[in-house]
Amino acid sequence: MSHAEQTMETTSSPTGRYWRGLGAWNVYFIFKLALYWQGVIGFQALPNLAFAAFLLVPLPPRWLHRLRHLVAIPIGVALFYQDSWLPPFSRLLAQSSQVSAFSLDYLLELASRFINWDWMAVLFVLAVGYAFIASWVRVTVPVVLGLIWIALLPVLSMVSATSFLPTPATVTTVPAEESANGVAAVEQNAAPAPRASATPNDAELDAQLKAFYRSESERQTPFSTAPGQPFDVLIVNVCSLSWDDMSEAGVTNHPLFDYLDVVFDNFNSATSYSGPASLRLLRASCGQIPHGELYGQTPQQCHLFENLAEHGFATELALNHDGVFDDYLKTIREQGGLEAPMLPQNSLKPQMTAFDDSPIYRDRDMFDTWMAQQDWDNPTATFYNTVTLHDGNRIVGEKGFADYEPLLRQLFDDLLAFLQRLESEGRQVAVLIVPEHGAALSGDKMQFAGMREIPTPSITHVPVGVKLTGLEQPREGAPIHIEAPSSYLAVSELVERFLEQDVYAQREVDWQALTADLPTTEPVSSNEGVVVMPVNETPYIRLKGDGWMAYPQ
């Protein structure tokens, strides 16, 4: 304890001589106040004041005083985490079964992202500065005054604000029940959901979310068209790819996107995890449902590949990984309605190993294998999932983790070469590139880079593209851009229009009719225990057990 802090014991009060001050805990509070001032963390004034009071209460026996410091360490850590913008710790524990499969190297890599070395330097400077001045300055006094000031700020703001200012008008919302699994009606464009006020409360936001799911429960793509000229459908489900990732990696003008026929500019993947994203794509023929309903009974007419199977398509499945992690393969078969055998990989050499040391094969090799085993006389519908861009991949024979940017360029190169090969050979294939979710390369206040617990817009806003190869008259010029907010129902509708318009029997495809008035979907996203919903262009989140809050920007 410093000399200045010790002088606090000289009071004549019977217990006053045991007021020892905060000691080194001053550095803890000063550091948090600095982070709060810079907007890096939040700050709950009352819990922090209570913690400071706990540390200041006089305890005559010195051993008890020291024991209190030991007890305070886990309390201080928990309070620091609670003040941060990171998701509740319970959400991280919910993923513990998946984390246990990570390799040690990958766990260390994730830990390094959690640490901000610039702020570690600030902490070091504060600690040295405290040690230097504490011998003649009572640091506890200004620190406690700072905590009290922050606690009083909301009260002072209320006192200074005039009560005569008009309050924002609110919009009355009508509560609705959560979606059922059944589909009630056929709709294409979404009905407008009730809107919350400019500063919405929990009840308004809950009502808006329920209205969204009620509207979505009534939407379905009807597959009632008789088969026309046969063609193949290939859906490429890409893990860890968003518009934000492309910008962060500096790969925004790859020629692949000029070669496509249709690009969705505002497609929402509705989740930030692979299993749920693939399930939503596989059941794209119905409207969006809450996360929990993905793992229940789903009407057969919601399964995109079962609809295609009823129209004469033989369904196929291909992965460039083993599908073991998080029971991915089992999940898409049992809940996604895709029972097809998996494309064999035994003739391929892995290009990379994943974060759990499982093999990953190059997309170019997978495309070559798929083409080699195709029966071009009979239509097929293939679901291909690739984890080439997943965090924690390592190239075989090289040290360290693979960088995202070169892997992204390689994937785009492989996709472009594959599409050009299909075109040059005259193969009639409708290729749809639909990413699962982003890689969260940039991170934010609540999630460090690579963390995807909360499905924020930067993670779920993904680039979706479509190419029809082998047309009698290929489309020329720049791609058609779909700017309306879209999601999986638009994919299902577009595939159905390929059948309805019999696109490969046409000398010239009517692209306007093909892409006009596709279903729109508000960008509502969810994982287990968390929902993200936009309100007046501001994303709001609801965590399980808590209310709504605006996502910290």
Side-chain angles (χ1 to χ4, degrees):
M1 185 187 306
S2 69
H3 172 73
E5 301 284 358
Q6 286 175 340
T7 60
M8 300 177 70
E9 299 180 6
T10 61
T11 178
S12 59
S13 171
T15 60
R17 61 194 183 91
Y18 298 114
W19 288 95
R20 299 183 172 94
L22 291 173
W25 285 102
N26 281 300
V27 178
Y28 169 86
F29 287 109
I30 294 172
F31 184 57
K32 288 179 71 174
L33 290 172
L35 292 172
Y36 174 63
W37 179 56
Q38 289 294 315
V40 177
I41 65 172
F43 196 85
Q44 302 172 90
L46 185 57
N48 279 278
L49 267 176
F51 184 47
F54 166 73
L55 294 168
L56 286 171
V57 170
L59 293 177
R62 187 168 291 276
W63 68 267
L64 190 58
H65 173 73
R66 291 172 177 171
L67 178 62
R68 174 173 59 185
H69 283 301
L70 293 177
V71 173
I73 291 175
I75 298 175
V77 171
L79 184 57
F80 203 117
Y81 190 91
Q82 191 175 15
D83 278 332
S84 76
W85 297 118
L86 294 172
F89 196 67
S90 59
R91 298 299 312 135
L92 303 183
L93 291 178
Q95 306 302 323
S96 58
S97 59
Q98 297 183 18
V99 174
S100 63
F102 295 170
S103 66
L104 178 60
D105 289 345
Y106 187 53
L107 287 174
L108 293 175
E109 167 68 15
L110 292 177
S112 69
R113 298 179 193 174
F114 185 78
I115 300 172
N116 185 310
W117 293 107
D118 290 338
W119 282 108
M120 291 298 99
V122 171
L123 178 60
F124 175 73
V125 171
L126 288 175
V128 173
Y130 170 77
F132 180 72
I133 68 171
S135 58
W136 66 82
V137 176
R138 292 182 178 180
V139 181
T140 296
V141 175
V143 167
V144 173
L145 289 176
L147 296 176
I148 294 174
W149 173 255
I150 292 178
L152 292 176
L153 276 178
V155 178
L156 296 174
S157 299
M158 292 177 61
V159 171
S160 62
T162 174
S163 60
F164 297 102
L165 290 176
T167 57
T170 58
V171 176
T172 303
T173 55
V174 181
E177 299 299 323
E178 292 282 358
S179 162
N181 282 327
V183 178
V186 177
E187 291 188 11
Q188 295 309 324
N189 290 306
R195 291 296 180 181
S197 59
T199 306
N201 57 41
D202 287 358
E204 288 178 313
L205 292 170
D206 286 340
Q208 181 172 321
L209 180 64
K210 289 179 180 179
F212 169 79
Y213 284 133
R214 181 182 63 180
S215 174
E216 289 295 302
S217 70
E218 300 172 350
R219 308 174 77 196
Q220 177 190 344
T221 302
F223 278 76
S224 56
T225 307
Q229 182 169 325
F231 62 96
D232 297 293
V233 175
L234 172 61
I235 295 181
V236 182
N237 195 210
V238 183
C239 179
S240 303
L241 175 61
S242 71
W243 290 109
D244 185 74
D245 297 327
M246 292 169 60
S247 177
E248 187 74 13
V251 186
T252 57
N253 57 353
H254 194 280
L256 169 66
F257 287 85
D258 294 326
Y259 192 71
L260 297 173
D261 293 321
V262 180
V263 174
F264 287 82
D265 294 330
N266 289 295
F267 191 97
N268 181 47
S269 69
T271 182
S272 57
Y273 280 130
S274 297
S278 295
L279 287 181
R280 290 190 181 280
L281 176 56
L282 289 170
R283 64 171 316 283
S285 296
C286 289
Q288 188 171 320
I289 61 176
H291 174 86
E293 295 183 17
L294 288 173
Y295 300 92
Q297 294 295 322
T298 303
Q300 182 175 340
Q301 63 266 30
C302 293
H303 288 139
L304 175 59
F305 278 75
E306 290 193 18
N307 287 328
L308 290 172
E310 290 190 355
H311 283 73
F313 288 82
T315 57
E316 299 177 345
L317 171 64
L319 313 175
N320 76 334
H321 53 102
D322 59 16
V324 172
F325 180 74
D326 200 28
D327 289 330
Y328 177 81
L329 182 57
K330 179 182 178 182
T331 298
I332 63 173
R333 281 179 169 163
E334 292 182 356
Q335 272 81 41
L338 190 59
E339 296 290 344
M342 195 167 75
L343 186 73
Q345 304 167 335
N346 49 7
S347 63
L348 304 177
K349 291 184 178 180
Q351 180 196 23
M352 295 181 289
T353 56
F355 53 81
D356 60 351
D357 295 326
S358 60
I360 298 176
Y361 304 94
R362 181 164 177 174
D363 298 290
R364 178 188 62 191
D365 297 336
M366 294 300 302
F367 293 142
D368 290 344
T369 303
W370 178 80
M371 290 194 69
Q373 61 85 48
Q374 281 297 101
D375 178 5
W376 298 107
D377 294 328
N378 296 297
T380 62
T382 305
F383 179 85
Y384 171 56
N385 181 262
T386 171
V387 297
T388 294
L389 303 178
H390 198 286
D391 195 30
N393 290 347
R394 289 172 292 183
I395 297 177
V396 174
E398 296 184 10
K399 294 182 179 180
F401 296 101
D403 291 333
Y404 185 88
E405 183 265 340
L407 290 181
L408 180 60
R409 292 187 183 278
Q410 173 192 282
L411 172 64
F412 285 174
D413 289 345
D414 288 353
L415 281 167
L416 179 58
F418 171 62
L419 295 176
Q420 290 172 336
R421 179 183 174 187
L422 290 174
E423 192 68 69
S424 65
E425 295 183 10
R427 303 301 184 185
Q428 296 180 332
V429 185
V431 182
L432 298 95
I433 303 169
V434 186
E436 297 175 356
H437 53 73
L441 289 185
S442 55
D444 56 39
K445 286 185 178 181
M446 290 194 75
Q447 303 185 116
F448 56 80
M451 187 178 185
R452 294 177 281 104
E453 179 62 20
I454 298 175
T456 60
S458 63
I459 299 174
T460 62
H461 181 205
V462 298
V464 171
V466 180
K467 180 67 179 181
L468 299 183
T469 65
L471 291 173
E472 182 176 344
Q473 185 171 332
R475 187 178 175 280
E476 297 180 355
I480 297 172
H481 286 266
I482 308 298
E483 297 181 355
S486 309
S487 197
Y488 300 103
L489 193 66
V491 170
S492 175
E493 172 67 16
L494 195 56
V495 172
E496 195 279 332
R497 291 182 186 184
F498 295 159
L499 298 172
E500 180 185 14
Q501 297 187 24
D502 200 4
V503 289
Y504 282 99
Q506 307 298 321
R507 184 178 182 277
E508 183 177 357
V509 174
D510 186 348
W511 290 99
Q512 177 62 30
L514 197 64
T515 59
D517 298 322
L518 287 170
T520 62
T521 305
E522 289 296 309
V524 175
S525 303
S526 61
N527 289 336
E528 182 182 357
V530 57
V531 178
V532 177
M533 180 174 64
V535 178
N536 302 322
E537 300 184 355
T538 298
Y540 276 73
I541 64 170
R542 186 184 70 183
L543 299 171
K544 187 176 182 180
D546 298 319
W548 292 87
M549 63 174 284
Y551 195 82
Q553 301 298 312

